[in-house]
Amino acid sequence: MSPHPSSRVQKAREVLAGRLREIRKDAGISGRELAVRCRWSESKSSRIENAKTPPSDADIREWCRACAAEDQAPDLIAANRQSAEAHVEWKRLQRTGLRRLQESTGDLYQQTKSFRVYVSDVIPGFLQTPGYASALLSSIADFRGTPDDVSEAVAARIRRNEVLSKGGRRFSFVLEESVLRYRLCGAETMAAQLGHLLGVMDLQNVAVGIVPFSEQRAVWPMPTFTIFDDQRVHADTLDAASTLTQPSQVELYARAFERLSQQAVRGAAARALIADAVASLG
């Protein structure tokens, strides 16, 4: 099989193959012995180990069983499944416009019961007003050169965000104070957005923490990420959207969220930071 046309996917395959190779070496067995234990051809072991053939879930389980490393199988299987999906370029996601991208996560939002969201750049999508969302999505569409369907995309985002008040879901947000200060829209629109944020903080199923500029950091500011239940993480970069599903990856982000959450102020102290940001708009 030829290398995957996506360099990101091929790199993920090579990383997985390298982990399988290390497991075999740690077990002290040859590729031939591994093949015997797995009851398949030696050439198959070689193709998997050299990232020529992506293994199935069953192959990974057999490989780990043969190397007495069954405990590593869940992470490896998750890595295998996400190798073709983990990094999806924004250009591909947004080539038909932004509305479809908003709608694409609808099922995931409906299925998730617990959301943990950390943001260091913009107001979380869940908490955006139509005006703020319109300014942000217009900026994204212009930067990426996508079809201009911002009005439809904003409407889709607001519909999607109805999960905030329906279905018994819980939301925990940690925002950097910088999010309150970045001017991504006009002063009036930003004031309305910050007022909406104050209102959302009254919801019983929503917890909002803000990490102040003045806080001595135990954890550095990070790129934005969202944890869906304890099953998957969405972490975005400038060029791609990453979906992480390996248990060790989810645990890593959960630990980061907990550390960041510990740095955040809540209640009256958080409201004071928002009020200061509103006052600065004048």
Coordinates of all heavy atoms in Angstrom, one line a residue, residues 118-119 173-180 208-219 221 259-266 270 273:
Y118 N -12.2 25.2 27.7 CA -11.1 26.2 28.0 C -10.9 27.0 26.8 O -10.7 26.5 25.7 CB -9.8 25.5 28.4 CG -8.7 26.4 28.5 CD1 -8.5 27.3 29.6 CD2 -7.7 26.5 27.5 CE1 -7.5 28.2 29.6 CE2 -6.7 27.4 27.5 CZ -6.5 28.3 28.6 OH -5.5 29.1 28.6
V119 N -10.9 28.4 27.0 CA -10.7 29.3 25.9 C -9.7 30.3 26.3 O -9.7 30.9 27.4 CB -12.0 30.0 25.4 CG1 -12.9 29.0 24.7 CG2 -12.7 30.6 26.5
F173 N -16.9 26.2 32.1 CA -16.0 27.0 31.2 C -14.9 27.6 32.0 O -15.1 28.1 33.2 CB -16.8 28.2 30.6 CG -18.0 27.7 29.7 CD1 -19.3 27.6 30.2 CD2 -17.7 27.4 28.4 CE1 -20.3 27.2 29.4 CE2 -18.8 27.0 27.5 CZ -20.0 26.9 28.0
V174 N -13.7 27.6 31.5 CA -12.6 28.4 32.0 C -12.1 29.3 30.9 O -11.7 28.9 29.9 CB -11.5 27.5 32.5 CG1 -10.3 28.3 33.0 CG2 -12.0 26.6 33.7
L175 N -12.2 30.6 31.2 CA -11.7 31.7 30.3 C -10.5 32.4 30.8 O -10.4 32.7 32.0 CB -12.9 32.7 30.1 CG -14.1 32.4 29.3 CD1 -14.9 31.2 30.0 CD2 -15.0 33.6 29.1
E176 N -9.6 32.7 29.9 CA -8.5 33.6 30.3 C -9.1 35.0 30.3 O -10.0 35.4 29.5 CB -7.4 33.6 29.3 CG -6.7 32.2 29.2 CD -5.8 32.0 30.4 OE1 -5.5 33.0 31.2 OE2 -5.4 30.8 30.7
E177 N -8.7 35.9 31.1 CA -9.2 37.3 31.2 C -9.0 38.0 29.9 O -9.8 38.8 29.5 CB -8.5 38.1 32.3 CG -9.1 39.5 32.5 CD -8.5 40.3 33.6 OE1 -7.6 39.7 34.3 OE2 -8.8 41.5 33.7
S178 N -8.0 37.6 29.1 CA -7.8 38.2 27.8 C -9.0 38.1 26.9 O -9.3 39.0 26.0 CB -6.6 37.6 27.1 OG -6.7 36.2 27.1
V179 N -9.8 37.0 27.0 CA -10.9 36.8 26.2 C -11.9 37.9 26.4 O -12.6 38.3 25.4 CB -11.6 35.4 26.6 CG1 -13.0 35.3 25.9 CG2 -10.7 34.3 26.2
L180 N -12.0 38.5 27.6 CA -12.9 39.6 27.9 C -12.4 40.9 27.2 O -13.2 41.8 27.1 CB -13.1 39.8 29.4 CG -13.3 38.6 30.2 CD1 -13.4 39.0 31.7 CD2 -14.6 37.9 29.8
V208 N -18.8 29.1 35.3 CA -17.8 30.0 34.5 C -16.7 30.4 35.5 O -17.0 31.0 36.5 CB -18.5 31.2 33.9 CG1 -17.5 32.1 33.2 CG2 -19.6 30.8 32.9
G209 N -15.5 30.1 35.1 CA -14.3 30.6 35.9 C -13.5 31.4 34.9 O -13.4 31.2 33.7
I210 N -12.8 32.4 35.5 CA -11.9 33.3 34.7 C -10.6 33.4 35.3 O -10.5 33.6 36.6 CB -12.5 34.7 34.6 CG1 -13.9 34.7 33.9 CG2 -11.6 35.7 33.8 CD1 -14.7 36.0 34.0
V211 N -9.5 33.2 34.6 CA -8.2 33.2 35.1 C -7.7 34.7 34.9 O -7.5 35.2 33.8 CB -7.2 32.3 34.3 CG1 -5.8 32.4 34.9 CG2 -7.8 30.8 34.3
P212 N -7.5 35.4 36.0 CA -7.1 36.8 36.0 C -5.7 37.0 35.4 O -4.8 36.1 35.6 CB -7.2 37.3 37.4 CG -7.9 36.2 38.1 CD -7.7 34.9 37.4
F213 N -5.5 38.2 34.8 CA -4.1 38.5 34.4 C -3.2 38.5 35.6 O -2.0 38.1 35.4 CB -4.1 40.0 33.8 CG -4.7 40.1 32.4 CD1 -5.6 41.1 32.2 CD2 -4.4 39.2 31.4 CE1 -6.1 41.3 30.9 CE2 -4.9 39.3 30.1 CZ -5.8 40.4 29.9
S214 N -3.6 38.9 36.7 CA -2.8 39.1 37.9 C -2.4 37.7 38.6 O -1.6 37.7 39.5 CB -3.5 40.0 38.9 OG -4.7 39.4 39.3
E215 N -3.1 36.6 38.2 CA -2.9 35.4 38.8 C -1.5 34.8 38.5 O -1.0 34.8 37.4 CB -3.9 34.3 38.3 CG -3.7 33.0 39.0 CD -4.2 32.9 40.4 OE1 -4.9 33.9 40.9 OE2 -4.0 31.9 41.1
Q216 N -0.7 34.4 39.6 CA 0.6 33.8 39.3 C 0.3 32.4 38.8 O -0.4 31.6 39.4 CB 1.4 33.7 40.6 CG 2.7 33.0 40.4 CD 3.6 33.1 41.7 OE1 3.3 33.9 42.6 NE2 4.6 32.2 41.7
R217 N 0.8 32.1 37.6 CA 0.5 30.9 36.9 C 1.2 29.7 37.4 O 2.4 29.7 37.6 CB 0.8 31.1 35.4 CG 0.2 32.3 34.7 CD -1.3 32.3 34.6 NE -1.8 31.2 33.9 CZ -2.7 31.3 33.0 NH1 -3.2 32.4 32.6 NH2 -3.2 30.2 32.4
A218 N 0.4 28.6 37.6 CA 0.9 27.3 37.8 C 0.9 26.5 36.5 O 1.6 25.5 36.4 CB 0.1 26.6 38.9
V219 N 0.0 27.0 35.6 CA -0.1 26.3 34.3 C -0.2 27.5 33.3 O -0.8 28.5 33.5 CB -1.4 25.5 34.2 CG1 -1.5 24.8 32.8 CG2 -1.5 24.5 35.3
P221 N -1.0 29.6 29.8 CA -2.1 29.6 28.9 C -1.9 28.7 27.7 O -0.8 28.5 27.2 CB -2.1 31.1 28.4 CG -1.4 31.8 29.4 CD -0.3 30.9 29.9
R259 N -6.2 21.8 36.3 CA -5.2 22.7 36.7 C -5.6 24.1 36.4 O -5.4 25.1 37.2 CB -3.8 22.4 36.1 CG -3.3 21.0 36.5 CD -2.6 21.0 37.8 NE -2.0 19.7 38.1 CZ -0.8 19.4 37.8 NH1 0.0 20.2 37.2 NH2 -0.3 18.2 38.1
L260 N -6.1 24.4 35.2 CA -6.5 25.7 34.8 C -7.7 26.2 35.6 O -7.7 27.4 36.0 CB -6.8 25.7 33.3 CG -5.6 25.6 32.3 CD1 -6.0 25.1 31.0 CD2 -4.8 26.9 32.2
S261 N -8.6 25.3 35.9 CA -9.7 25.6 36.6 C -9.4 26.1 38.0 O -10.0 26.9 38.6 CB -10.7 24.4 36.7 OG -11.9 24.7 37.4
Q262 N -8.3 25.5 38.6 CA -7.9 25.8 39.9 C -7.4 27.2 40.0 O -7.3 27.9 41.1 CB -6.8 24.8 40.4 CG -7.4 23.4 40.7 CD -6.3 22.4 41.0 OE1 -5.1 22.7 41.0 NE2 -6.7 21.2 41.2
Q263 N -6.9 27.8 38.8 CA -6.4 29.1 38.8 C -7.5 30.2 38.6 O -7.2 31.4 38.7 CB -5.4 29.2 37.6 CG -4.3 28.2 37.6 CD -3.0 28.8 38.1 OE1 -2.1 29.2 37.3 NE2 -2.9 29.0 39.4
A264 N -8.7 29.7 38.3 CA -9.8 30.6 37.9 C -10.5 31.2 39.1 O -10.6 30.5 40.1 CB -10.7 29.9 37.0
V265 N -11.0 32.4 39.0 CA -11.9 33.0 40.0 C -13.3 32.8 39.6 O -13.6 32.7 38.4 CB -11.6 34.4 40.3 CG1 -10.2 34.6 40.9 CG2 -11.8 35.3 39.1
R266 N -14.2 32.8 40.5 CA -15.6 32.6 40.2 C -16.5 33.5 41.0 O -16.0 34.3 41.8 CB -16.0 31.1 40.5 CG -15.1 30.1 39.8 CD -15.4 28.7 40.1 NE -14.4 27.8 39.4 CZ -14.5 27.4 38.2 NH1 -15.5 27.8 37.4 NH2 -13.6 26.6 37.7
A270 N -15.3 36.9 39.5 CA -15.4 36.7 38.1 C -16.3 37.8 37.5 O -16.0 38.4 36.5 CB -16.0 35.4 37.7
L273 N -14.4 41.1 37.2 CA -13.5 41.1 36.0 C -14.3 41.5 34.7 O -13.8 42.3 33.9 CB -12.8 39.8 35.8 CG -11.8 39.4 36.9 CD1 -11.2 38.0 36.6 CD2 -10.6 40.4 36.9

